Each structure stands twice: as structure tokens, then as C-alpha cells.
Amino acid sequence: MSDTNPHEAANSDFIRDFIKEDLASGRFKEVRTRFPPEPNGWLHIGHTKAFHIDFSIAADFGGTCNLRFDDTNPEKEDLSYVEAIKRDIKWLGYDWKDREFFASDYYEKLYDFAVKIIHKGQAYVDDLNDEEIREYRGTNVPDKNNITLTPPGRNSPYRERSVEENLRLFARMRAGEFADGEKTLRAKIDMAHPNLIMRDPVMYRIRREPHYRTGTTWVIYPMYDFQHPLSDAMEGVTHSLCSLEYEIHRPLYDWFIREAEVFPSRQIEFSRLNITHTVLSKRWLLRLVKEGYVLGWDDPRMPTLAGLRRRGYTPEAIRDFLGRIGVAKTDSYVDVQLLEFCLREDLNKRSRRVMAVLNPLRLVIENWPEGKVEELEAVNNPEDPVAGKRLIPFGRELWIERDDFQEVPQPKYFRLFPGNMVRLRYGYIVTCTGFSKDPETGMVTELRCTYDPATKGGDAPDNRKVKGTIHWVSAAHAVQLEARLFDHLFPAERPMDVAPGIDWLATMNKDSLKRVSGWGEPILATTEPGDRFQFERLGYFARDPDSVDGVPAFNRSVSLRDTWAKIEKKGS
RNA sequence: UCCCCGGUUGUGUAAUGGUAGCACAGCAGACUCUGGAUCUGCUUGUGGGGGUUCGAAUCCUCCCUGGGGAACCA
């Protein structure tokens, strides 16, 4: 990708500073990074921060970034996730060229490294089961209430097996001579280490589970802590960038590199992305899907890349966002409004304008001849002259937005009310002469206006001030459409911070999707899924792949900035 | 409890011993055939105490406070 984002070019960050030091000191001669997704779920906006950092830093330093699937857990991984992840990364505009790797391709080499470490007397086969391991580690009761002490762990009774016995046992583990969970291979480090990660971590486990790539070739699988540093080293990764949760794993990362005597990759950690009104936890997102709170992983309300894409987000907007949020070690919560700002800014420049009415009210122009139709010229995009112009039909009966009429106008309201004049965008200036009401409900059913023939196109030859301009659609030519209006899935700014004892699902916005039926310009009948428009005065919309009974559906990607809404809110 | 890592306007992020800046949000105004866009201006910040220094967001120290960790997941 050609990176033109000024924000990331201009700013330095602590990772880039480290890299500059490493290059200056000669610790590394080049920069290689990697993005290591586990193929067990869909990519969301949080992951994009990680791979944006990996790819853009490599690009900044003239280096490369590998895509490596960290697929060492056969129980959760699947080829379909690999495909989805690749599709999403490509869509965002990042290119790993031919550097596509799989940790599962390294199984044989990793096994050899394990043997090497056993030879050095730094690993042993343990017969303890998972519960016993935890107990021996000295912390059988994880306690968030800070009551328990952390005693030093105790050595496993199998810790002092001879190298020969360990070698023999490990080979038998691989050969499938033991049941799942019966034995593990553990690094022999220090059971009294203050960092519990270092208390003889498990390197290999036995699991008779077919792997999506290696099938039933293996019954032992390497653990992340063992596999990751060695995979990095084998690929010559200089800077292994990951999120803060791995910070306490770094001593172990370095330990395996030292003991295996391989390329000294360096791990650097940064804080992961949080966004207000959004959850970015795989587990939470899975529950939303599984329990039907959303329509699927690609529901436009989801923070998944698939969801954002369907919602109408552009790769450019997301990349701009990623350049603006920065990189640091502070736990951060980025305002979702920044993401929305980036989208508006991008879409404002590039999307065609079109008129659509989503809450229709009939307007009749009393002095317009029955049956007469005129074609009026409209600008496709005032921000982009190249986008050209189009013709839209105008007639005696129009649909306008119900909100654009008030029987008794509130202060500062300058749209339609009895006696007031507004401009119909690209049409004529009209004056409201009356309206009808449903006697039962009190709802306004129809508006009547007269038009001024001298104002064709919307220009007032006498320079009279017309404060309001409203959008409209000719009723005789209107195309029916469905608009899907979204609100945050979570009303709380920080939905993950739920009070103890409260199920976060109970805090969800029950009304985050509104489907409304409306009318649009004729051109909207010929759109394709994925097409993006600005519906003037309403927001940016993207045509959804889905449609009901041939009525095209449009997702509101983001609303327009709405100054009036603020005025209205203050007035109430 | 122990170990690790953080705390700069509402939010995010710069300043690497020398004028605390930028963006979003917010507020006010200008302009406008989208109450859009654009433009202008404004408010708000170095968690606290002590120390080093001519000078501290930055270095030292104590405290306060937030996050992470104790999987045969990654």
C-alpha cells in the first residue's frame, strides 16, 4: 500500500524509538515484523491496530512484515478463519506478498528444538496433571480480592528425570503412547520465580485432536510461549510486536531464544485498542452472535472488519483512524466519535449525493399543473467537480421529511411552517399555504404549498434570503427503499466495566437497529451492493447485499454532523 | 499478597532537562442552495509530597491510583 497518512509519518512513538536505537547500535541490521493471528475467529477493529503497527513500521524502515498464523491449538482453529482473516487484511490494503507462514509448518523443527533443550537438561517430561501443575505452581486459588499470598512453588517429583529418560519419554509422547493429558513437556526454570510464568511452563501437551492443516500427524502440540519466540527467530523477525498482556511473558520469550540458541528476536509490547460503546473481546462478540443479539459476525453493528465493511466503512477511513490513535503503553479508550469523524471525512470527499426521504410527508404544490414533470439539474458531489451532474424529476406531488415541517415552529426553526418559505434543493422556492390533519390521531397528513416559477433550480433572482433548504423526492418517480439506522450496541461508554454481579448483556441497547421504509431518487433503483451515497442532510449510506422483496436496503454508515440536533436538545 | 507495566485538558497522543503542542469531542462565531462541508476563535491538563538542577511532564525518592498475570489458550 502507498502510505500517505501524515499522522503516522510525522509522529514517532516508543516502538519506533526502540527500533532506531536497535539499528543505531547494530543490534539489528534491518527490520522484520510479523502479524500472528490465531485462526479461531473474525478480525475486528482491535486487531487492525496490531497489524497496522506491524505493517506500517516495517514499511517505514524499509523492512518486511510476515503474515503468520499462530495455529497451535487444534481444538479451535479452522481453515475458514484463515481465509476470512486474509480477506480482511487485504481489504484494508495491507500486503504480505508471498510471506505467508503457519506455525503448524514448523512442528518438526519445533520438536527438534525441544529435543535440544531436553539435551541441555533444561526441559523434562512431567506426569503431573493440570490441576497438580497449578497446585505445585503455588497458586491454586487465583484471587482477585488480594487475600491469598503467593507462596513459592514446589518442584514436581518428576523434575529430576535423566536426560535419557526425558528424551525417551518425549519420543513416546510424540508416538502417541500416552493418553491426552497424561504427560507434558516442561521447561526447567525456577519453581520459586516471582513471575509465575517462569515456574516451569508447559512446552508441549498431548491432544488427540485432528488439526486443520496437519491432520492426525501430531498428537503433541507446542504451547504459545515455546512456539512463538522460535517461530519469530526462524523467520528472522527482529521486532515481535504484541499487546501488553504478553509483557510478563517476555522473560520466557527471551529464555527460549537463549536456550534454543537462535536468532535473538526482540519482543515489544503496546496497549491494545478499546473503543467507547463497543466491545472488542472475542468471547463477548461470540456471545452476541451465538445468542442472537446481532444477525451475525458481519452485522453492520459489529466491530468486526466484515461488519464495518457491510456498514459502509472504507479502508481509507479505518487506516486514517489507526494513524491518529497512536501507539503507547497507556491503557486507552478511544472515543468512537473519532472513528466516525474519519469516516465522514473520507466519505464527504468521495460519495455521490442523492436525495431520499426516510420519514415521508406528502407535499402538494397547488399552483403546479397536474401531470407536469420537469427535469432539474443536481450536483453529484459539491466536493468533487469531476463527479458531474444529474437530472432529477420534479412534479406536483413530492415526498419531504416529516421533520421539515412544524405546525408551530420552535425558536430558531427555519424550515416549513404555515406561511414560511423554503427552498426545495435544486428545485423551487415554495411557501407553505396550509396542511391537513387526521382528525383521529392529530397527525399531519399532507402539506400544501405554492411555488415561485422564477426560482427554478433554487436560485432567488431577487436575492431574497431563504434560510431553509430541504430535500425532497418526486412522489410519481420515487423508488421505494429500506433504510437501516444503527445505534451503539451499548449505551455505556465503557461496556466492559460492568458492576460485579451484572450480566453485561443486560446493559445492551435493545433498540440499536431501526428499519424504516422510505423513498429515493430514481437512480437508487440501479445501485449495487456496496455502493455508497450521501443521502443529503441525513447521512452516508451503503447499499446492503440483502434486500427484501426487491426493495433495496441501505445501511446508514454514519449520520451527518447534526448542528440542529444540538440546538433542539438544548431547547428542550 | 506477590510479580510486571502505566498515570500529560473530557478522550487519544506529542514534547526525551529549556515556550506543555496536535487531533477528536465541547463551546462561540463567520460563510453556505445540505442546520452538511469549509473557516475563525475559545475553554479545559503534567495524580500528590519531597529532592537534584539556573531550569523538571522528563532524573531520584516516598505515597496515591489504574491495568495486567498466576490456562496442558493465544
Side-chain angles (χ1 to χ4, degrees):
Chain A
M1 112 205 190
S2 67
D3 214 319
T4 54
N5 189 331
H7 304 282
E8 68 184 31
N11 292 344
S12 68
D13 55 65
F14 78 100
I15 296 179
R16 278 169 233 254
D17 290 347
F18 281 154
I19 293 177
K20 282 173 207 159
E21 285 170 18
D22 288 345
L23 260 17
S25 72
R27 177 172 178 176
F28 297 112
K29 291 187 171 54
E30 60 181 346
V31 174
R32 289 193 198 189
T33 61
R34 106 271 86 120
F35 175 60
E38 186 192 6
N40 72 343
W42 293 49
L43 253 27
H44 57 64
I45 183 92
H47 297 112
T48 67
K49 174 176 178 179
F51 68 81
H52 174 260
I53 289 171
D54 292 327
F55 279 99
S56 67
I57 283 185
D60 282 3
F61 289 92
T64 55
C65 178
N66 297 348
L67 174 62
R68 180 178 72 238
F69 290 94
D70 243 354
D71 54 353
T72 51
N73 183 0
E75 289 164 65
K76 293 182 175 174
E77 295 153 4
D78 192 273
L79 187 62
S80 67
Y81 291 121
V82 171
E83 299 304 328
I85 288 167
K86 284 160 64 175
R87 173 200 65 203
D88 287 346
I89 298 174
K90 269 185 205 152
W91 176 72
L92 248 203
Y94 299 91
D95 188 2
W96 59 94
K97 303 251 168 56
D98 60 343
R99 294 182 306 277
E100 181 174 314
F101 304 112
F102 294 83
S104 52
D105 284 342
Y106 303 148
Y107 282 172
E108 194 64 48
K109 284 177 182 165
L110 289 168
Y111 180 86
D112 292 341
F113 280 125
V115 167
K116 179 176 186 177
I117 293 171
I118 295 171
H119 263 296
K120 295 173 79 171
Q122 301 293 359
Y124 61 97
V125 172
D126 197 2
D127 294 7
L128 259 29
N129 65 32
D130 53 350
E131 265 175 51
E132 290 165 331
I133 287 180
R134 208 174 316 140
E135 193 197 315
Y136 274 69
R137 192 132 43 209
T139 54
N140 53 337
V141 188
D143 190 343
K144 292 289 180 193
N145 296 324
N146 298 346
I147 298 169
T148 51
L149 275 130
T150 305
R154 302 183 335 257
N155 286 169
S156 164
Y158 308 98
R159 199 174 196 259
E160 299 308 330
R161 291 213 251 234
S162 69
V163 167
E164 291 67 30
E165 188 182 3
N166 283 322
L167 252 16
R168 209 160 46 235
L169 255 14
F170 188 48
R172 291 177 62 196
M173 280 170 66
R174 175 179 181 169
E177 293 185 26
F178 304 111
D180 286 12
E182 196 180 329
K183 287 185 164 44
T184 56
L185 182 72
R186 290 230 262 165
K188 196 176 187 175
I189 304 180
D190 180 2
M191 288 305 289
H193 198 108
N195 179 353
L196 282 90
I197 295 287
M198 298 296 275
R199 317 246 265 223
D200 289 11
V202 172
M203 294 164 64
Y204 271 92
R205 63 196 194 280
I206 303 172
R207 195 102 320 166
R208 277 177 181 69
E209 181 82 27
H211 186 275
Y212 78 101
R213 291 187 86 244
T214 60
T216 53
T217 307
W218 292 86
V219 295
I220 57 171
Y221 290 94
M223 303 295 294
Y224 167 86
D225 281 316
F226 169 67
Q227 169 273 127
H228 202 91
L230 300 186
S231 296
D232 283 344
M234 285 187 270
E235 292 177 17
V237 167
T238 55
H239 300 272
S240 185
L241 313 176
C242 61
S243 54
L244 248 28
E245 58 197 295
Y246 294 101
E247 204 160 25
I248 60 160
H249 294 248
R250 193 183 338 129
L252 184 54
Y253 182 98
D254 294 338
W255 190 91
F256 278 122
I257 282 189
R258 199 162 54 242
E259 294 304 327
E261 301 168 43
V262 290
F263 183 82
S265 306
R266 176 180 185 184
Q267 175 179 301
I268 301 172
E269 314 84 13
F270 56 87
S271 64
R272 60 195 311 160
L273 174 64
N274 293 292
I275 299 183
T276 58
H277 302 289
T278 308
V279 303
L280 294 179
S281 138
K282 234 176 226 180
R283 239 183 54 244
W284 288 39
L285 294 177
L286 184 66
R287 250 190 102 185
L288 293 180
V289 174
K290 284 270 155 73
E291 298 179 26
Y293 287 87
V294 294
L295 276 16
W297 284 102
D298 67 343
D299 186 299
R301 292 166 293 179
M302 289 285 274
T304 51
L305 251 20
L308 292 167
R309 180 164 55 231
R310 189 167 171 190
R311 171 95 168 228
Y313 268 81
T314 61
E316 291 82 358
I318 295 173
R319 274 192 264 131
D320 183 29
F321 172 74
L322 295 170
R324 288 169 185 264
I325 58 174
V327 186
K329 294 187 74 162
T330 320
D331 291 314
S332 61
Y333 239 105
V334 175
D335 196 334
V336 70
Q337 288 178 103
L338 179 61
L339 218 208
E340 294 174 346
F341 166 83
C342 293
L343 216 217
R344 284 195 193 99
E345 191 167 68
D346 187 34
L347 258 17
N348 174 50
K349 284 179 293 194
R350 64 201 288 180
S351 49
R352 268 196 298 173
R353 269 62 169 176
V354 93
M355 292 198 280
V357 174
L358 300 185
N359 188 11
L361 173 63
R362 184 177 295 270
L363 178 148
V364 179
I365 301 171
E366 295 175 307
N367 57 341
W368 186 274
E370 298 266 5
K372 181 184 173 186
V373 175
E374 266 188 15
E375 298 267 293
L376 300 167
E377 198 175 64
V379 173
N380 284 331
N381 183 356
E383 303 292 321
D384 176 19
V386 179
K389 294 177 178 176
R390 70 186 183 284
L391 294 173
I392 45 177
F394 184 92
R396 181 178 158 91
E397 295 197 4
L398 309 174
W399 293 115
I400 65 159
E401 214 66 62
R402 195 163 278 277
D403 289 350
D404 288 337
F405 173 76
Q406 287 190 354
E407 187 179 342
V408 180
Q410 69 188 96
K412 292 182 183 166
Y413 186 83
F414 48 74
R415 280 114 83 179
L416 280 171
F417 50 87
N420 196 41
M421 201 186 312
V422 299
R423 175 169 28 238
L424 296 170
R425 174 142 241 231
Y426 300 124
Y428 290 90
I429 292 173
V430 297
T431 306
C432 180
T433 53
F435 60 93
S436 317
K437 260 187 179 177
D438 183 320
E440 303 271 301
T441 63
M443 273 254 287
V444 176
T445 52
E446 187 179 285
L447 234 50
R448 288 185 297 281
C449 290
T450 54
Y451 85 106
D452 178 351
T455 59
K456 181 172 178 175
D459 296 310
D462 52 358
N463 275 331
R464 80 185 151 230
K465 276 284 172 208
V466 182
K467 202 105 200 289
T469 298
I470 65 172
H471 61 278
W472 53 272
V473 175
S474 165
H477 306 87
V479 170
Q480 203 191 342
L481 56 84
E482 179 185 294
R484 295 176 186 169
L485 312 177
F486 309 108
D487 197 358
H488 301 136
L489 243 17
F490 296 89
E493 250 189 20
R494 304 186 177 205
M496 311 282 282
D497 298 350
V498 279
I502 293 177
D503 183 4
W504 57 274
L505 280 171
T507 71
M508 281 190 73
N509 179 3
K510 298 280 181 285
D511 206 21
S512 57
L513 167 63
K514 279 197 189 71
R515 300 169 66 154
V516 304
S517 176
W519 300 102
E521 289 183 28
I523 198 171
L524 289 174
T526 59
T527 52
E528 299 287 328
D531 284 355
R532 287 184 271 253
F533 296 92
Q534 183 196 100
F535 290 0
E536 293 218 24
R537 303 211 300 137
L538 297 175
Y540 297 96
F541 289 76
R543 170 84 189 268
D544 197 83
D546 172 47
S547 65
V548 181
D549 298 332
V551 175
F554 292 86
N555 297 321
R556 185 171 66 191
S557 313
V558 65
S559 63
L560 250 27
R561 244 184 84 222
D562 193 349
T563 313
W564 169 249
K566 283 178 194 166
I567 297 170
E568 204 175 24
K569 203 175 167 189
K570 264 187 283 185
S572 63

